[in-house]
């Protein structure tokens, strides 16, 4: 039995917890009326809390604003640490190691047109706060909490909907990834074309590097992706100016140890892409406060909507615990 098989068996008994893509002020839209839903891993063009002040005002009744109490040291018995060879000294080292591993994996066949993509993702805090909302509010909102989602792999109706320039169906994403060039600079240039900047009603100005990071992340959250394509994406990510990696594993929303690839969004917050340290699959994303600052309500006053965000606060923490290609909607692996 090889080392990777032993590592996976070590984590085989770990429970798969509930989760859903429900962030502060940005929960997943469930399109039940149309009989389909957008992928929970889609990101808007600004991949941020569009107006942090507005979000804090909306969520001032205590939605998901969690303060980090400290980074836990890696558990020496965890699967990630047992591997013992993780190099987190730099983005090039960590993402290059991930790419090396993925390039050795067999590329599975592309899903069939009649298959479905199953995802399970979210956080315990999101579920808790959703359940605490009064029933009348839950009934009136367009948003809902659901730990599981299914989308058709071949969704022609969604492919023909051009209203959201960041949204791609599972099949579109798979084929975009499979066709990406080897050269990191050319790969990022292609993704900037696929996911344009500053378009649509929510478009915001972006620097070239911010655009590259956001565009790559939109595709990274797709499922499935060919492992060789994912390897090219990781190598390209390491070349983006401002990208970093924590020098240690961090804990995600469910306490799993993960690699965190980071990039500042602005002077106050940063984005963190979470990667499984065993098979290097996408494991989630976080938004963290890197500078203590004050956020005011809609009237910019020192009223009840005024909130102090402290360095280390986590504004959103979305972890993915399940992803699979299945034969029917409602089926779980």
């Amino acid at each position: 039995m090889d080392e990777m098989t032993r590592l996976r068996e070590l984590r085989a008994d770990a429970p798969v917890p509930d989760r859903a893509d429900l962030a502060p002020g940005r929960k997943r839209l469930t399109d039940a009326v149309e009989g389909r839903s957008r992928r929970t891993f889609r990101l808007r063009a600004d991949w941020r809390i569009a107006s942090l002040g507005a979000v804090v005002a909306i969520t001032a009744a205590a939605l998901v604003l969690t303060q980090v109490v400290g980074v836990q040291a890696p558990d020496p018995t965890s699967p990630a640490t047992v591997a013992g060879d993780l190099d987190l000294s730099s983005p090039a080292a960590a993402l290059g190691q991930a790419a090396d591993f993925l390039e050795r994996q067999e590329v599975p066949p592309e899903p069939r047109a009649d298959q479905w993509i199953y995802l399970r993702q979210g956080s315990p805090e999101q579920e808790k706060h959703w359940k605490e909302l009064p029933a009348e509010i839950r009934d009136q909102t367009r948003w809902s909490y659901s730990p599981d989602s299914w989308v058709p792999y071949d969704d022609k109706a969604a492919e023909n909907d051009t209203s959201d320039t960041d949204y791609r169906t599972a099949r579109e994403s798979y084929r975009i990834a499979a066709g990406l060039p080897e050269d990191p600079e050319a790969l990022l240039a292609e993704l900037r074309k696929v996911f344009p900047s500053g378009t649509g009603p929510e478009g915001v100005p972006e620097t070239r590097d911010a655009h590259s990071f956001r565009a790559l992340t939109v595709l990274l959250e797709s499922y499935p992706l060919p492992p060789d394509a994912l390897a090219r994406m990781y190598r390209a990510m390491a070349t983006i100016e401002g990208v970093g990696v924590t020098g240690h594993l961090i804990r995600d929303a469910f306490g799993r140890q993960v690699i965190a690839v980071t990039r500042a969004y602005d002077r106050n917050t940063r984005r963190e892409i979470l990667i499984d340290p065993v098979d290097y699959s996408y494991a989630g994303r976080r938004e963290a406060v890197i500078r203590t600052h004050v956020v005011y309500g809609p009237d910019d006053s020192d009223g009840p909507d005024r909130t102090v965000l402290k360095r280390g606060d986590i504004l959103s923490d979305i972890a993915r615990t399940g992803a699979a290609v299945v034969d029917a909607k409602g089926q779980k692996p």
Side-chain angles (χ1 to χ4, degrees), residues 29-189:
L29 173 63
T30 303
D31 197 351
V33 174
E34 294 181 4
R36 64 178 177 84
S37 64
R38 295 288 191 177
R39 294 176 300 172
T40 57
F41 46 75
R42 61 178 292 279
L43 276 76
R44 299 298 304 180
D46 54 1
W47 192 45
R48 61 169 177 151
I49 296 180
S51 170
L52 195 53
V55 169
V56 172
I58 292 170
T59 61
L63 271 179
V64 189
L65 190 62
T66 306
Q67 178 156 357
V68 176
V69 296
V71 177
Q72 293 176 283
D75 180 354
T77 64
S78 74
T81 307
V82 171
D85 60 353
L86 291 175
D87 187 347
L88 303 179
S89 60
S90 69
L95 293 169
Q97 188 175 55
D100 289 342
F101 171 84
L102 290 164
E103 287 170 346
R104 296 193 297 269
Q105 308 310 305
E106 181 179 353
V107 178
E110 180 180 355
R112 301 190 312 270
D114 63 336
Q115 290 185 302
W116 290 72
I117 305 304
Y118 164 74
L119 292 178
R120 188 175 184 87
Q121 55 192 27
S123 75
E125 286 294 319
Q126 293 173 348
E127 180 179 12
K128 174 179 178 289
H129 289 303
W130 174 254
K131 290 180 177 179
E132 289 175 349
L133 287 176
E136 59 271 22
I137 295 179
R138 293 201 303 265
D139 292 341
Q140 293 173 5
T141 182
R142 293 177 63 206
W143 309 109
S144 65
Y145 176 89
S146 176
D148 303 305
S149 66
W150 290 264
V151 294
Y153 180 70
D154 179 11
D155 191 345
K156 290 184 173 59
E159 286 185 11
N160 293 329
D161 181 0
T162 60
S163 62
D164 186 345
T165 58
D166 261 12
Y167 179 73
R168 295 294 184 276
T169 66
R171 183 174 71 171
E172 286 178 307
S173 296
Y174 183 95
R175 294 180 178 180
I176 289 168
L180 288 174
E182 191 78 29
D183 177 69
E185 185 175 349
L187 184 151
L188 295 175

